[in-house]
């Protein structure tokens, strides 16, 4: 299979941001996740939970609430503004000030025609959702305390609002309070502290469920305004509630990191009367569970420990299947690392800055598995802070290591790097073409003479680079009607091809010599997660969110014989059951039959010269093959060479000297950087 000298990089100190809010669109099966740094992510639950869209945050954009209104996504937070997002161009579309101070909660009615927001000054405001904007409609009766949580009745005629020490039920037509429900304070010393009603849920039978800061989940009669029952689930806070679509199951997230499930069950056998019964407790988080979603088959939770956890309910799914597996999503489903193959430089992307590192050098050679001594340690060359309040959206480093670029939603910045005698200088390119105002993806050509930037509606701008100037060359525009954002951009090593893939599953191949669209790969139902063009065969390899692999000939404009054979036989079940997407593909220049790829916990070399694995064959068989005699290895070997990793694998690149650069991020490092759990929540105004 061949040997590689490996640079194990563990100095990328990437720290995911805490999850603050979530919203699930049951029509499209999309989950929107808001993080503490203002980033909004969209996951496609029908496509193996793939993170198909990321909208970067900005300083001061502390999001406290998210909601879907039909296919439109809104957020609100401590800035006091309501933001609608452009899901095609991946940036805020419009912003409206609610004029009520920080906004703590946001909710839309079932028809998606109205938004309700709860503000710091005690006002509850209704906004009408129009075709191209939202418009203020009315204020409800002002309260003495801030409005912390909201929930519409499914009919859209009533609203339940959680506050300090109470819940109020409002008539949505008049804006007047119909009932006031007083929430009992804690016992002992806690009696002097106000109770915060962190979450409320309004059920169709007019039952109101509340979760509060003294650890209670309470059910109220919304018609009479009386308490039905109380469940003490924790000594600390109940921070989030969510109910299933059929209202038969309810979940509560606590500041202890637990998720408690309640089910609406008959009190006794053959009894028609039902009651809410505590049935399960899940412990998948180390810190506060700030957000919850109850889908038809699973519990989705997120919080301070940065993990998005999807826990299937085993009474809703078939056991021992892919659907029944617990998933923990910690890292983005995209690369945050760029490697300059010719110069041994690494670029790390953070929300507020970029870091440029030079790899270390080793002495001598060794046997497989040996750790080689360093004659030069890795060195941090540049710490580049981004300009403005907008977070870094994407970044790129040229293969020669002389050009660096990054983009926010408002601007693109291009820099020229020079390294002489260990002295590095960085110069900003002042004159960038005006058409280059922001980019979703950035990519340099293999000879570092061109910069490619994907912009709105899947278009790609080509810019030529020289020592004297940066000049606009061309804009590639796909077929009319294509409006999905580009999330993958790759330039071939021979300089002839540029490949752009968007979240709609479309893969466009452009001819860089003729500056026109060469072909469009047949659209597959699952979104591509990684792609690359082979440097000698000119075949395009794509891997998708459902783990399928395709090989497409750019010269023949059709799938190759190997790809057809792979699809006919089918991939090994263990390959398809993996729950993290392939994020990078490269090739072995010493052997054209080798395809190198990786996901978060696996590195694989596909040897196309060997037979494909049968469904019953041992899949991860490298250790077994080592123990066998040479004569028996051929009989047991197959084309998939799997090496599992113990630490999350964020990036893998092959340098010009044939050495591998492997960027890892130990999970223990992330846990150690989390703050100590804060049990009693405070307001951060």
């Amino acid at each position: 299979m061949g040997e590689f000298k490996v640079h194990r990089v563990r100095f990328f100190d990437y720290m995911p941001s805490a999850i603050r809010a979530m919203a699930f669109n049951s029509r499209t099966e999309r989950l929107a996740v808001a993080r503490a740094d203002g980033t909004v992510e969209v996951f496609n639950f029908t496509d193996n939970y793939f993170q198909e869209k990321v909208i970067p945050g900005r300083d001061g954009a502390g999001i406290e609430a998210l909601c879907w209104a039909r296919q439109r996504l809104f957020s609100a937070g401590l800035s006091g503004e309501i933001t609608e997002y452009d899901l095609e161009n991946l940036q805020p579309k419009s912003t409206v000030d609610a004029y009520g101070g920080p906004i703590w909660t946001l909710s839309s009615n079932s028809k998606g025609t109205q938004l309700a927001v709860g503000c710091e000054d005690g006002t509850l405001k209704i906004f009408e959702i129009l075709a191209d904007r939202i418009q203020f409609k009315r204020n409800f009766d002002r309260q003495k305390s801030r409005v912390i949580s909201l929930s519409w009745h499914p009919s859209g005629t009533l609203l339940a609002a959680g506050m300090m020490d109470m819940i109020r039920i409002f008539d949505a037509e008049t804006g007047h309070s119909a009932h006031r429900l007083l929430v009992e304070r804690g016992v002992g010393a806690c009696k002097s502290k106000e109770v915060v009603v962190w979450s409320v849920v309004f059920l169709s039978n007019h039952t109101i469920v509340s979760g509060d800061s003294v650890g209670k989940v309470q059910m109220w009669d919304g018609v009479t305004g009386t308490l039905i029952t109380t469940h003490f689930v924790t000594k600390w806070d109940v921070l989030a509630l969510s109910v299933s679509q059929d209202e038969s199951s309810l979940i509560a997230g606590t500041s202890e990191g637990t998720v408690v499930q309640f089910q609406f069950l008959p009190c006794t056998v053959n009894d028609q009367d039902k009651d809410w019964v505590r049935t399960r407790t899940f412990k998948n988080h180390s810190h506060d569970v700030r957000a919850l979603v109850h889908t038809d088959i699973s519990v989705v939770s997120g919080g301070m420990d940065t993990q998005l956890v999807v826990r299937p309910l085993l009474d809703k799914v078939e056991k021992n299947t892919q659907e029944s597996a617990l998933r923990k999503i910690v890292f983005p489903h995209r690369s945050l690392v760029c490697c300059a193959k010719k110069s041994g430089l690494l670029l790390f992307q953070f929300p507020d800055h970029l870091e440029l590192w030079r790899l270390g050098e080793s002495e001598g050679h060794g046997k497989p598995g040996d750790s080689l001594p360093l004659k030069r340690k890795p060195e941090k060359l540049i710490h580049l802070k981004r300009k403005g309040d907008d977070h870094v959206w994407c970044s790129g480093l040229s293969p020669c290591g002389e050009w660096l670029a990054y983009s926010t939603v408002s601007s693109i910045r291009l820099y020229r790097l020079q390294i002489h005698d260990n002295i590095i200088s960085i110069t900003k390119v002042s004159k960038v073409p005006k058409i280059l105002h922001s980019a979703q993806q950035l990519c340099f050509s293999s000879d570092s003479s061109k910069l490619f930037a994907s912009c709105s509606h899947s278009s790609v701008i080509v810019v030529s680079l020289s020592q004297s100037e940066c000049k606009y060359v061309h804009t590639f525009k796909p077929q009319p009607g294509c409006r999905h954002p580009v999330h993958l951009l790759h330039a071939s090593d021979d300089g002839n091809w540029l490949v752009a893939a968007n979240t709609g599953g479309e893969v466009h191949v452009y001819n860089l010599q003729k500056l026109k669209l060469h072909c469009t790969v047949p659209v597959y139902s699952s979104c591509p997660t990684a792609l690359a063009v082979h440097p000698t065969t000119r075949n395009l390899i794509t891997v998708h969110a459902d783990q399928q692999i395709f090989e497409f000939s750019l010269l023949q404009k059709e799938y190759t014989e190997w790809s057809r054979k792979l699809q006919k036989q089918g991939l090994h079940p263990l390959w398809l059951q993996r729950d993290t997407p392939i994020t990078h593909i490269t090739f072995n220049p010493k052997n054209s039959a080798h395809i190198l790829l990786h996901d978060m916990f696996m590195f694989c070399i596909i040897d196309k010269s060997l037979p494909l694995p049968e469904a019953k064959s041992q899949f991860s068989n490298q250790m077994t093959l080592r123990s066998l005699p040479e004569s028996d290895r051929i009989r047991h070997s197959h084309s998939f060479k799997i090496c599992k990793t113990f630490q999350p694998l964020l990036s893998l690149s092959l340098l010009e000297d044939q050495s591998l650069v492997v960027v890892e991020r130990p999970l223990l490092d992330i846990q150690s950087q989390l703050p100590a759990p804060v049990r009693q929540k405070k307001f951060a105004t």
Side-chain angles (χ1 to χ4, degrees), residues 209-433:
V209 186
S210 65
D212 59 43
S213 59
V214 293
K216 303 191 303 292
V217 173
Q218 295 183 306
M219 285 71 180
W220 306 79
D221 188 323
V223 177
T224 62
T226 56
L227 178 65
I228 300 173
T229 184
T230 298
H231 298 270
F232 291 93
V233 298
T234 176
K235 295 179 180 178
W236 310 106
D237 297 55
V238 176
L239 298 172
L241 296 172
S242 184
V243 68
S244 62
Q245 203 161 6
D246 62 1
E247 299 184 354
S248 65
S249 177
L250 174 84
I251 50 176
T254 75
S255 59
E256 291 179 304
T258 57
V259 176
V260 180
Q261 184 185 13
F262 297 86
Q263 289 177 281
F264 200 49
L265 301 172
C267 299
T268 58
V269 180
N270 298 325
D271 193 351
Q272 296 298 317
D273 294 330
K274 292 184 176 182
D275 200 1
W276 287 101
V277 180
R278 179 174 175 174
T279 53
R280 296 185 185 97
T281 300
F282 308 121
K283 175 68 174 174
N284 298 118
H285 297 274
S286 59
H287 289 62
D288 303 1
V289 177
R290 292 293 305 269
L292 283 176
V293 163
H294 197 319
T295 70
D296 291 339
I297 61 171
S298 61
V299 172
V300 186
S301 55
M304 293 296 293
D305 65 1
T306 78
Q307 297 183 112
L308 180 66
V309 177
V310 182
R311 187 180 188 102
L313 298 171
L314 296 181
D315 56 338
K316 302 289 186 180
V317 297
E318 188 178 342
K319 294 183 179 179
N320 300 321
T321 61
Q322 189 175 9
E323 273 192 334
S324 65
L326 175 72
R327 292 171 182 264
K328 291 187 177 182
I329 303 171
V330 183
F331 296 101
H333 291 168
R334 60 195 175 109
S335 179
L336 299 174
V337 180
C338 292
C339 179
K341 300 179 181 179
K342 299 176 181 178
S343 56
L345 300 178
L346 288 177
L347 181 68
F348 298 145
Q349 177 182 319
F350 297 85
D352 59 346
H353 72 278
L354 301 172
E355 291 181 4
L356 184 69
W357 287 73
R358 180 165 53 192
L359 291 167
E361 290 184 5
S362 62
E363 293 180 335
H365 301 277
K367 302 187 298 293
D370 285 353
S371 295
L372 302 179
L374 291 176
K375 67 178 181 182
R376 191 189 72 199
K377 291 185 177 180
E379 182 183 2
K380 183 178 178 180
L381 302 177
I382 292 176
H383 183 103
L384 181 64
K385 293 184 178 179
R386 53 116 171 102
K387 300 294 182 182
D389 295 333
D390 296 319
H391 291 180
V392 176
W393 195 354
C394 59
S395 57
L397 182 66
S398 65
C400 68
E402 295 182 1
W403 297 95
L404 184 155
Y406 77 87
S407 177
T408 64
V409 296
S410 57
S411 66
I412 289 180
R413 293 183 179 267
L414 179 65
Y415 297 87
R416 181 77 189 273
L417 306 174
Q418 291 179 311
I419 304 175
H420 294 294
D421 299 326
N422 290 329
I423 299 175
I424 186 166
S425 64
I426 178 169
T427 306
K428 181 178 179 293
V429 178
S430 56
K431 293 184 178 180
V432 176

Side-chain angles (χ1 to χ4, degrees), residues 441-445 450-453 460-462 489 491 498 512:
Q441 292 292 319
L442 291 169
C443 172
F444 288 90
S445 61
K450 293 183 179 67
L451 171 66
F452 308 106
V460 180
I461 296 172
V462 183
L489 197 61
L498 178 69
L512 292 176

Side-chain angles (χ1 to χ4, degrees), residues 96-98 124-128 134-139:
V96 175
D97 198 320
L124 197 161
K125 301 171 184 286
I126 300 296
F127 288 82
E128 192 173 0
I134 61 171
Q135 181 175 287
F136 175 74
K137 187 177 181 181
R138 69 146 55 95
N139 278 324

Side-chain angles (χ1 to χ4, degrees), residues 348-607:
F348 298 145
Q349 177 182 319
F350 297 85
D352 59 346
H353 72 278
L354 301 172
E355 291 181 4
L356 184 69
W357 287 73
R358 180 165 53 192
L359 291 167
E361 290 184 5
S362 62
E363 293 180 335
H365 301 277
K367 302 187 298 293
D370 285 353
S371 295
L372 302 179
L374 291 176
K375 67 178 181 182
R376 191 189 72 199
K377 291 185 177 180
E379 182 183 2
K380 183 178 178 180
L381 302 177
I382 292 176
H383 183 103
L384 181 64
K385 293 184 178 179
R386 53 116 171 102
K387 300 294 182 182
D389 295 333
D390 296 319
H391 291 180
V392 176
W393 195 354
C394 59
S395 57
L397 182 66
S398 65
C400 68
E402 295 182 1
W403 297 95
L404 184 155
Y406 77 87
S407 177
T408 64
V409 296
S410 57
S411 66
I412 289 180
R413 293 183 179 267
L414 179 65
Y415 297 87
R416 181 77 189 273
L417 306 174
Q418 291 179 311
I419 304 175
H420 294 294
D421 299 326
N422 290 329
I423 299 175
I424 186 166
S425 64
I426 178 169
T427 306
K428 181 178 179 293
V429 178
S430 56
K431 293 184 178 180
V432 176
K434 291 183 179 179
I435 193 173
L436 209 62
H437 51 81
S438 69
Q440 298 158 359
Q441 292 292 319
L442 291 169
C443 172
F444 288 90
S445 61
S446 59
D447 62 359
S448 304
S449 66
K450 293 183 179 67
L451 171 66
F452 308 106
S454 65
C455 300
S456 59
H457 307 318
S458 291
S459 63
V460 180
I461 296 172
V462 183
V463 174
S464 66
L465 305 173
S466 66
Q467 293 185 3
S468 59
E469 62 178 351
C470 170
K471 187 178 179 181
Y472 168 74
V473 176
H474 186 71
T475 299
F476 291 117
K477 294 183 179 179
Q479 297 171 351
C482 180
R483 306 185 64 85
H484 299 284
V486 170
H487 70 294
L488 295 174
L489 197 61
H490 171 77
S492 64
D493 287 348
D494 62 6
N496 291 326
W497 312 105
L498 178 69
V499 186
N502 62 39
T503 56
E506 299 167 323
V507 180
H508 302 288
V509 182
Y510 301 99
N511 188 318
L512 292 176
Q513 304 303 320
K514 298 179 180 180
L515 293 179
K516 68 176 186 178
L517 179 66
H518 175 69
C519 66
T520 298
V521 179
V523 177
Y524 182 60
S525 58
S526 180
C527 190
T529 64
L531 53 81
V533 177
H534 197 286
T536 57
T537 65
R538 313 296 190 269
N539 292 336
L540 170 66
I541 304 293
T542 60
V543 185
H544 297 256
D546 63 357
Q547 313 298 355
Q548 292 293 335
I549 303 172
F550 295 92
E551 185 181 48
F552 186 83
S553 171
L554 299 185
L555 302 179
Q556 303 298 324
K557 298 184 182 180
E558 62 180 14
Y559 289 116
T560 64
E561 189 61 34
W562 181 82
S563 182
R564 296 177 191 276
K565 181 181 178 182
L566 179 65
Q567 292 301 312
K568 184 178 180 180
Q569 179 174 323
L571 287 157
H572 196 282
L574 292 180
W575 176 270
L576 298 175
Q577 289 169 16
R578 293 171 19 259
D579 59 4
T580 56
I582 297 293
T583 53
H584 190 79
I585 302 171
T586 189
F587 305 95
N588 183 358
K590 296 180 180 179
N591 191 329
S592 62
H594 286 182
I595 305 170
L596 285 65
L597 34 76
H598 77 90
D599 66 10
M600 198 65 68
F601 296 102
M602 177 275 304
F603 168 59
C604 176
I605 296 180
I606 300 177
D607 188 344

